[in-house]
Amino acid sequence: RIFVLGIGFFTLCFLMTSLGGQFSAKRLGDSPFTIRTEVMGALESRGVLRRMSDMLEMLMKRMDILARLENSTDFHKGEEARFPLDRFQPAAGLMERIQAIAQNVSDIAVKVDQILRNSLLNGKVMEGRRDQCEVPRDPKYPDCAGKVEWMRARWTSDPCYAFFGVDGTECSFLIYLSEVEWFCPPLPWRNRTLAVPSPPPPPRAQAAFRRDLARLLELIGTGKESLSFMKKRIRHLAQQWLRAARRLEQKLAGRQRDQKHILIHIGFLTEESGDVFSPRVLKGGPLGEMVQWADILAALFMLGHSLRVTVSLKELQSHLGVPPGRGNCPLTSPLPFDLIYTDYHGLQQMKQHMGLSFKKYRCRVRVIDTFGTEPAYNHEEYATLRGFRTNWGYWNLQPTQFMTMFPHTPDNSFMGFVSEELNQTERQLIKANKVSSMAVVYGKEASIWKGKEKFLAILNKYMEIHGTVYYETQRPPEVPAFVKNHGLLPQHEFQQLLRKAKLFIGFGFPYEGPAPLEAIANGCVFLQARFNPPHSSLNHEFFRGKPTSREASVSSQHPYAEDFIGKPHVWTVDYNNSEEFEAAIKTIMRTQVDPYLPYEYTCEGMLERIHAYIQHQDFCTAPSLPPSPKTRSPAMQSPPSPLALSPNSTHLVWSPSAGWAPQAWPPVASLQVWLSEPQHTCTETCRRHGLVCEPTFFSFLNKEEVFLQLSIACDSTEYEMNHLYPAVAENVRECYLQKEPLLFSCAGYNSKYRRLCPCRDFRRGQVALCRDCL
């Protein structure tokens, strides 16, 4: 009897739990995409209720039979049995409770059946609504119909659409295109809560200069030789970074700086891009990119920003919030990063996996680009029409979003790297231990030495020649026997070699690497070849395919060393002239030089530069542009030009009496407008006046009035897309203004035009910043 009562009680509990689970697992009407599933689940719940009621009824019948049997037996035993009649009262009470529960369950079953009938009816109505949606015709959404048509044909092409609820019906297309993407208007029948004004965002945390680099080394991770190389470099320069951070902190004098959330995605180290660098780290491969990335990581971290570092596509997708699929859908949530530093490989990966969100957030991207991207290659339509299309260009970014290793093109931002600074004791020690007859050749690959026997023979007459060419089993045949080849050296041993050598000599390649600056910083003289004609994408295989022409700018192996450092630390000679080459070697041996490092390549210089970029560069706010003639009515008068002739009447400056100054960076007070010579770029024009071309100022001089202020009479003025405009063709007195702001460029020239060039001043040793830019 007790056993049967227990079984009945636990059966009741089990059934109630099962019923509760059925209802808790299903929530009717949460989404139109789940109606069919919810109705089926509810039908199952109704079946459970019926089975539960039947089982309770059967249980009560069996307990009633058992109770009568017990009553009969106890009556015959009489008093001897000593079982009083009230012994069965608890059982009778339990039966009453079970009977009441059964009645309640029966009532519930009837009510649920009514609810389910209504739900099923509503579901059919909703199902009909889902299948009968019509594409809205709203002039504010002109692309809606075309996007729906595309979804009809291709919605199964990427699982991400199903992830967002698309199931092949018209309404699911419209819901996706209005609520996930933004090509269609919201559907009026969708249950949407009224927009509640969001509270103002909490104040940002303030960036504070960091006191150690241990946390950064953890963020970088392990598993690749490239990462080990970068971490070793960061540890080696740690004390210099810490000292530089303290000096910059004092210079900024407590200035408030918002802490930025920054993602660093090093695309060329991902497996998907091939990661050709990691295996070559130990074999003398190019290390310039990894040197630069290590220094970028250190600078951003020391400035106090919050960093995430990825070197895999899976990590990138996770940090960005990429939905499952093939990358056609937007991100699942707003981008959590204020800035993303990546390279061309990472840029391609982001575009492939972010869908429409890439266009929305690309203004936050900073592309580390060794050789630069000129505006003519960056603008997709223009590059295609004018033959500037390459494998790496046409991204339609603001050109200053590309960040270079050297300041060779003002169209891009100069990011740079750092070289090790020497204290006074080290500088004196180097000068005392220099060997005036010792030379080190710039080049770890044997192919660089090929065909250089003539130069090496002349150099060998005066100096002992050392090399650092990688080899596995025997001396490379390109390296002569009289060269003392050390093989590939660790960085600190290579530094020791440079501290002894008098001369560091380059044979034309590699272009613009960090090694010459390291050599000069260690007291070497750098000797390099002059290129005549200059190397460019027009005449040299190395630059073909890169998004830069570099016309007339690559006049030597290392243009920065030639233009910004020069003699006595840098000698650029004609290697085809044996007499000039030999005379240069003799003079260099007699010349005493101190170790020299430009300020912009010190830790403090790089921190200063990146701080200024983060604080002032904003590519997400649309700049105010002058109206084009097509949008200007005849009745409208152009505002007076804020520019005025300089006192010597040779160029224009920002007028002190203009009465207003835009919130521009660099500040407009540093602006000077010069007219170029026919065969000069704006980069060269500004440099000839001791200035730097500043492309962000082009919008201020892209006006007809500026020609008049420079006494240029224009018979006609046209707006066109051309990376050389604004300019004037003097022989026919035709003036041209720029139609496309993305094509404003300091690069490029044509003998037909004299260009209007925006120039600015710069801080001593920090060409990227004007005097008031910090």
Side-chain angles (χ1 to χ4, degrees):
R1 181 172 65 249
I2 295 174
F3 174 75
V4 172
L5 290 172
I7 290 295
F9 179 74
F10 285 113
T11 301
L12 175 63
C13 294
F14 173 75
L15 289 172
M16 293 297 289
T17 304
S18 298
L19 180 64
Q22 288 284 344
F23 281 108
S24 65
K26 306 292 180 181
R27 293 177 296 175
L28 297 178
D30 272 5
S31 167
F33 302 118
T34 58
I35 290 175
R36 187 179 291 112
T37 304
E38 304 298 353
V39 171
M40 291 177 63
L43 292 174
E44 293 172 1
S45 299
R46 181 170 57 188
V48 170
L49 280 169
R50 287 176 176 174
R51 290 195 297 273
M52 179 178 174
S53 180
D54 293 341
M55 291 179 68
L56 286 170
E57 185 178 355
M58 184 180 296
L59 178 63
M60 285 189 297
K61 288 180 180 179
R62 292 181 179 179
M63 291 184 66
D64 184 59
I65 293 171
L66 180 62
R68 286 199 297 271
L69 180 62
E70 290 286 349
N71 285 337
S72 176
T73 303
D74 289 338
F75 175 78
H76 288 292
K77 287 184 178 180
E79 293 183 359
E80 295 179 3
R82 296 183 181 178
F83 290 137
L85 188 62
D86 60 3
R87 175 182 176 178
F88 296 100
Q89 289 178 356
L94 179 60
M95 285 185 61
E96 291 175 0
R97 293 191 193 98
I98 293 175
Q99 188 173 4
I101 292 172
Q103 183 62 44
N104 291 336
V105 169
S106 178
D107 295 341
I108 292 172
V110 173
K111 292 180 180 178
V112 168
D113 187 69
Q114 294 174 352
I115 293 172
L116 291 175
R117 290 178 184 276
N118 293 333
S119 298
L120 187 60
L121 181 62
N122 292 337
K124 289 181 179 179
V125 173
M126 187 66 72
E127 187 73 27
R129 181 178 291 177
R130 292 172 70 228
D131 291 333
Q132 295 176 6
C133 279
E134 294 184 359
V135 178
R137 300 183 181 278
D138 189 330
K140 297 179 181 178
Y141 299 90
D143 299 323
C144 184
K147 290 294 181 179
V148 171
E149 187 67 29
W150 187 95
M151 291 291 287
R152 289 192 192 108
R154 301 291 302 279
W155 76 273
T156 59
S157 63
D158 194 324
C160 73
Y161 296 117
F163 172 82
F164 282 109
V166 177
D167 61 2
T169 60
E170 291 292 292
C171 284
S172 69
F173 298 154
L174 291 171
I175 291 170
Y176 173 84
L177 292 171
S178 62
E179 298 180 11
V180 180
E181 296 184 5
W182 45 87
F183 293 104
C184 295
L187 299 177
W189 54 268
R190 287 282 289 169
N191 290 329
R192 297 187 305 276
T193 58
L194 294 176
V196 179
S198 56
R204 276 184 172 272
Q206 292 299 299
F209 286 94
R210 295 213 166 85
R211 301 301 181 214
D212 67 77
L213 288 155
R215 175 59 183 151
L216 175 61
L217 300 177
E218 295 177 9
L219 287 173
I220 293 175
T222 58
K224 291 178 179 287
E225 291 292 343
S226 299
L227 300 179
S228 299
F229 173 86
M230 289 192 286
K231 289 167 72 173
K232 188 174 182 179
R233 175 176 175 82
I234 291 171
R235 279 192 293 264
H236 179 69
L237 294 174
Q239 292 305 312
Q240 295 197 24
W241 283 115
L242 293 172
R243 288 194 294 269
R246 287 194 292 269
R247 290 195 296 266
L248 181 58
E249 186 175 18
Q250 294 172 358
K251 188 183 297 184
L252 295 178
R255 194 177 306 172
Q256 294 293 302
R257 299 181 300 118
D258 289 343
Q259 186 184 60
K260 304 291 186 180
H261 296 280
I262 301 175
L263 175 66
I264 297 100
H265 176 61
I266 310 177
F268 74 85
L269 292 183
T270 61
E271 299 300 328
E272 290 76 12
S273 68
D275 188 13
V276 297
F277 284 88
S278 290
R280 299 174 67 184
V281 169
L282 300 179
K283 297 182 179 180
L287 302 180
E289 288 86 348
M290 283 175 285
V291 164
Q292 187 181 33
W293 274 109
D295 297 343
I296 291 170
L297 285 165
L300 292 172
F301 185 80
M302 292 306 299
L303 286 170
H305 299 293
S306 174
L307 308 184
R308 290 290 181 271
V309 183
T310 68
V311 291
S312 78
L313 184 57
K314 185 176 181 180
E315 289 177 328
L316 175 68
Q317 292 172 319
S318 174
H319 286 307
L320 294 178
V322 175
R326 300 188 179 94
N328 290 304
C329 297
L331 302 181
T332 57
S333 59
L335 186 70
F337 300 103
D338 302 300
L339 294 170
I340 299 177
Y341 287 82
T342 188
D343 52 25
Y344 261 121
H345 294 282
L347 195 63
Q348 183 64 47
Q349 291 167 352
M350 289 169 57
K351 182 179 180 182
Q352 182 179 353
H353 293 278
M354 289 177 67
L356 290 175
S357 294
F358 177 79
K359 184 176 182 180
K360 180 179 180 180
Y361 293 120
R362 64 184 177 183
C363 61
R364 304 187 190 184
V365 174
R366 306 293 183 266
V367 185
I368 307 305
D369 177 13
T370 302
F371 294 99
T373 298
E374 294 175 4
Y377 294 82
N378 171 62
H379 192 280
E380 183 174 14
E381 179 186 357
Y382 186 77
T384 303
L385 292 174
R386 299 295 185 93
F388 290 104
R389 196 173 177 91
T390 64
N391 295 332
W392 300 104
Y394 58 88
W395 285 93
N396 293 325
L397 300 177
Q398 292 293 332
T400 39
Q401 287 180 255
F402 297 97
M403 304 188 126
T404 59
M405 184 172 281
F406 291 95
H408 43 61
T409 170
D411 290 322
N412 305 148
S413 298
F414 164 45
M415 172 58 77
F417 58 94
V418 304
S419 288
E420 186 172 359
E421 295 179 76
L422 304 176
N423 58 40
Q424 193 60 35
T425 302
E426 290 171 326
R427 294 165 66 92
Q428 293 298 327
L429 190 62
I430 286 175
K431 291 180 66 175
N433 293 330
K434 277 292 177 184
V435 180
S436 60
S437 60
M438 178 178 173
V440 176
V441 174
Y442 180 19
K444 300 176 183 178
E445 297 181 5
S447 60
I448 296 173
W449 297 63
K450 190 174 182 179
K452 307 302 188 297
E453 295 82 4
K454 180 180 178 181
F455 311 130
L456 290 168
I458 296 174
L459 182 61
N460 189 46
K461 290 166 49 178
Y462 301 95
M463 291 187 166
E464 180 181 83
I465 305 174
H466 294 252
T468 57
V469 182
Y470 173 79
Y471 61 96
E472 293 183 355
T473 57
Q474 59 184 0
R475 174 185 292 269
E478 295 86 355
V479 180
F482 56 76
V483 174
K484 185 177 181 180
N485 188 23
H486 299 263
L488 181 64
L489 292 177
Q491 189 68 13
H492 69 280
E493 293 185 23
F494 181 64
Q495 294 274 357
Q496 294 301 320
L497 190 66
L498 292 177
R499 293 185 178 189
K500 291 182 181 179
K502 176 72 173 184
L503 177 66
F504 189 64
I505 181 171
F507 286 144
F509 192 84
Y511 295 105
E512 299 177 315
L517 264 67
E518 294 177 353
I520 296 167
N522 282 284
C524 293
V525 173
F526 178 52
L527 177 63
Q528 63 173 347
R530 179 184 296 113
F531 299 148
N532 190 17
H535 290 182
S536 70
S537 60
L538 304 177
N539 62 14
H540 202 274
E541 190 63 33
F542 178 83
F543 289 103
R544 290 194 179 101
K546 292 181 172 59
T548 175
S549 296
R550 300 296 296 276
E551 296 173 343
S553 64
V554 188
S555 56
S556 61
Q557 181 176 351
H558 207 291
Y560 175 84
E562 177 185 8
D563 296 333
F564 289 88
I565 301 178
K567 292 181 180 181
H569 302 279
V570 179
W571 288 63
T572 305
V573 301
D574 183 3
Y575 278 24
N576 293 321
N577 187 329
S578 299
E579 294 180 356
E580 182 182 355
F581 178 76
E582 189 168 358
I585 293 173
K586 293 178 181 179
T587 306
I588 289 170
M589 292 180 68
R590 297 191 301 266
T591 303
Q592 295 295 322
V593 295
D594 293 329
Y596 173 72
L597 181 61
Y599 174 76
E600 55 201 354
Y601 284 97
T602 64
C603 291
E604 184 179 353
M606 188 169 185
L607 283 174
E608 183 181 274
R609 188 165 58 249
I610 295 181
H611 155 74
Y613 289 154
I614 291 176
Q615 291 298 111
H616 300 291
Q617 282 187 334
D618 180 8
F619 303 112
C620 297
T621 302
S624 55
L625 298 173
S628 64
K630 293 182 179 179
T631 61
R632 188 186 301 165
S633 66
M636 293 178 62
Q637 296 295 324
S638 299
S641 173
L643 302 175
L645 272 174
S646 63
N648 58 10
S649 301
T650 57
H651 61 281
L652 301 179
V653 296
W654 194 268
S655 174
S657 60
W660 66 281
Q663 294 296 319
W665 190 85
V668 291
S670 63
L671 169 63
Q672 297 184 25
V673 182
W674 289 84
L675 191 65
S676 78
E677 295 300 321
Q679 306 238 358
H680 290 172
T681 67
C682 281
T683 301
E684 186 178 4
T685 298
C686 294
R687 186 178 298 159
R688 285 171 174 260
H689 297 289
L691 303 167
V692 175
C693 182
E694 180 51 62
T696 58
F697 287 155
F698 267 112
S699 59
F700 299 122
L701 51 96
N702 192 45
K703 301 176 181 179
E704 296 179 48
E705 303 87 70
V706 177
F707 291 112
L708 296 175
Q709 287 181 290
L710 289 170
S711 302
I712 299 173
C714 301
D715 289 344
S716 65
T717 303
E718 300 290 339
Y719 270 78
E720 293 183 12
M721 276 202 318
N722 192 308
H723 70 289
L724 302 180
Y725 296 166
V728 55
E730 285 190 315
N731 55 338
V732 291
R733 299 176 67 180
E734 293 177 348
C735 297
Y736 301 92
L737 298 175
Q738 181 60 257
K739 183 180 179 181
E740 173 51 69
L742 286 181
L743 287 174
F744 285 135
S745 177
C746 294
Y749 69 90
N750 187 306
S751 57
K752 175 182 175 182
Y753 301 120
R754 297 185 69 184
R755 301 188 57 191
L756 289 181
C757 297
C759 308
R760 63 162 170 83
D761 56 35
F762 59 92
R763 297 168 66 88
R764 183 182 179 188
Q766 186 72 286
V767 69
L769 304 180
C770 69
R771 291 171 188 161
D772 298 322
C773 277
L774 189 58

